[in-house]
Amino acid sequence: MLSKKNVVQSEEGLLWSFFTSVKLAVALIFLIAIACGLGTFIVQDKTPEEYKARFGDSLASFLQLTQFTQVFHSYWFTLLLVLLATNLVCCTIDRWRGTLLQLGFILTHISIILILTGSIIGLWFGEKGVLWIAEGQKAEQFNLRNGTPRPLPFELHLDSFITEKHPPKYDLLSYVKDQHKEKFLYTELGKPQPIPKSPYVVTIKDYIPDAALLEEAINTSEEAKNPAIFVQLYGSENVAVEGWLVAKDRNWYVDRKRDLKLEYRWVESSEELKKVNVINPSKPTLTVRQKEKNVSQEFQAEVGRSYTWEGYNLKVLDFTLDFTQRTRPLKEQQPNNPGIQVELDGPQGKENRWVFANFPDWDEMHPTKYKELKLLCEIPQDISFVSQQVRILQGPNDQRLLAYIKGDKVVESFPWELEKKYNIGDSGQQIKVTKFYPSFGVKQSVVKRSDELKKPALYVEIDGPRGKITDWVFAEAQQATAYTDGNLFLLYKQMGENIKDWKSKLRIVDGGKTVMEKTIEVNDPLKYKGYAFYQASYDPQNEKLSGLQVARDPGVPLVYGGFFSLCFGIIFIFYIKPLLRRRMSASGMQEGT
Amino acid sequence: MININITLVAFVIVSIAYMVREVWRPEILRRGAVAIFVAAFLLNTVLVINRWIEAGHAPFSNLYESLVFYAWSVGFAYLILEYLYGMRIVGALAAVLIMLLLLYASTTDESIRPLMPALQSNWLTIHVVTYFIGYGALGISFITAILFLLSWIRSGKNPSETTLGFEKLSYKIVAFGFPFLTLGLVTGAVWANKAWGTYWSWDPKETWSLITWLIYLGYLHLPLVLPRLNIDRAKIPLIQSSCLVLAFLAVIFTYLGLAYLPSATDSEHIYGNK
């Protein structure tokens, strides 16, 4: 039975005993731990859209309402901390005896209060943000985390910004496709390295620190399998341009500056050789398709020509090799974006439409009158609007003919010989064929350019189910080197971060005078008037741009005081106090707690 | 040349020696087992120092290095605790734990990588060393907690004096490790403030190290609370040991599991999951 006095007391006493209880403390400790766990299992501080995508509508709105999406800034988490602080204060007062043995207890409990108070001061009176500053520039403000600019009470100058790098280190990475397994291999020469749980063995046979891939033209046979000639074009005395023309591959060269096109053709008979006189230059074509009837027709896209088709009148208005340069003469245009302008006339009146060879869908993305008509154009790759042509022909039984064509007429034609210079009409230019390879091929070889580590390459042997292959693996190659079965790949590349340090030479100008200079680096900030500038990052796109963190946190001394008190208190409790106790009990002293 | 495999084998021998000592109690192993442990621990020490010299920086920068160092820390904590309290069978399980850590390390990528700028600091050494000695001791408290729980199950509701001894030992070990854990947490915050101007940013690693700290803090307060609650007295050591198991699972999660968190992508701390 409770007496009346006891009931009255418990009005205040209940609250006091609630806040001085260790039960509350332990409950709060575990609750805070659980809350922290929630704050990591649920992704924090994202946009409402992201939560909807991740959790669905109803769960997302529940999480946002209960602030589980921003646990560490939530009202209930703050409430837990406030309860903990109150509990700590009450416990400390309640159990205060003032004995030496209690030192640890007092220090640790006060430390938490100090840390919490310090963090609140930092939150209310401090500011934190970022500052991007370019070398040679000055800053008078920075941006808070949410993007709002904040003024600095002084000027911050960045005199120089240096990025120090480690020497590059390259790793050989293997990838087995059907296992989705990557493994780093040793780049040691000669040692066979089996790739675990796979049939492959990789051996590195050679290493070049600075390798280059050389491509060399070779003749593989005397049979005319892939005929090619090496041609030199002379301006006056000197070779102006030279290169290979391969009959069955890239067999033409257009020189807009010299108003000249070179062409090399391999003919199979003497009949064909005579056709040199026939001028059949490649022409652009226009294809029109009626979508509903599913019929289409190809037309010559010659400017000025008109056609009547399926009840429409088509007229080619303009042709350009480069839409943005269409006002210039055709022979000065580069074939960047060729197109044809067509006028369509039909039941709904006239319409002008551009058709682009490289963007066949362009007309469908723009409003048109005649949606049922799809227009396409094709511009031959070797289209040229030069006035002079040199056509070099060659065939079996060593038949050779060189024709000079000007305008649309063959001016002259004669048999040509190797190593002989011929005038190109009266243009003042000359041409010479210096080599003829009946079977043109390209031989690749890897050579060492220097001993410096610049572009390393490894000569690798791969043994697997389809036998041994060897190949060069270049560092930072666009494509991985594959084994014959297309299941094993090797990649030789620079892995991870190779930044050693960033250094920003900062200068503070306050009231027109330089008051402080310091070269900051990561882990070594500059501090002035309560502001601290930390080297945080750099812009990979612009190596002259330094990324700084700016912080002004007046709560830090209190927090650090708390840290110190916490560490010392805990060391006292667990290491010093037991020793003291032992000594005290040895000397027969009584203790209080 | 001392490599990880030799060290691994050494700890296999250590665990066998401890088992033999426990079962047959030959006179030669009474002190001999600890001596073998010390020898194996020295091999592990050489492994850490070699790596330190080879890499040119404190060897805690990737998973391989940190696992080897954690193995060392468990050994270090064990030897201190052995000296202070006499650990008996616990030593065998400590050797097994070290063995597992080294075994795991031997499967990870051991190539040396340059240290990212933020890690090039003396704080790295202080922070990691204090943390790992703490983790080492807590690993051993996990072993004693497991031993308690196992012998509890075996003895039914009437735990023997030895069984209860494990519980008391657990508390003492946590009392030894917790100050290191606190130092690790605090030096981490101080270092973060030096590097980024923020001593706390609720990064998943920070948050989880706080969670583990809170659980051990809660554990240390349990003896003040449990006797006052209306529960069976005999169950108190059971609750405490369970709490320790939970706490060490949180340590393992903090150390190795964070890469699986949805919030892991933004963290500065988490080892790449190669």
Side-chain angles (χ1 to χ4, degrees), chain A residues 23 26 29 36-37 40-41 43 72 119 128 166 169 171 186 500 522-523 534 553 559-560 563 570 574-575, chain B residues 110 113-114 118 120-121 175-176 178 180 182 191 193-195 197 199 202 208 211 214 221 225 229 261-263:
Chain A
K23 282 181 237 169
V26 172
I29 287 169
C36 287
T40 63
F41 284 116
V43 183
F72 307 115
S119 67
K128 270 169 197 168
H166 292 288
K169 194 171 169 292
D171 286 299
Y186 294 99
K500 192 176 173 194
V522 181
N523 286 318
Y534 300 84
D553 190 344
V559 172
Y560 274 28
F563 284 171
I570 284 188
F574 294 109
Y575 296 159
Chain B
E110 57 170 315
R113 315 228 161 255
Q120 295 161 23
S121 165
F176 168 77
F178 189 69
F180 283 100
T182 310
W191 179 20
N193 194 40
K194 252 188 127 48
Y199 51 84
W202 296 111
W208 269 94
I211 293 171
L214 286 170
H221 281 83
V225 178
L229 292 176
L261 277 180
S263 47

Side-chain angles (χ1 to χ4, degrees), chain A residues 46-57:
Chain A
K46 302 282 177 202
T47 59
E49 290 75 32
E50 274 182 68
Y51 287 115
K52 266 185 196 165
R54 208 182 262 262
F55 299 111
D57 279 355

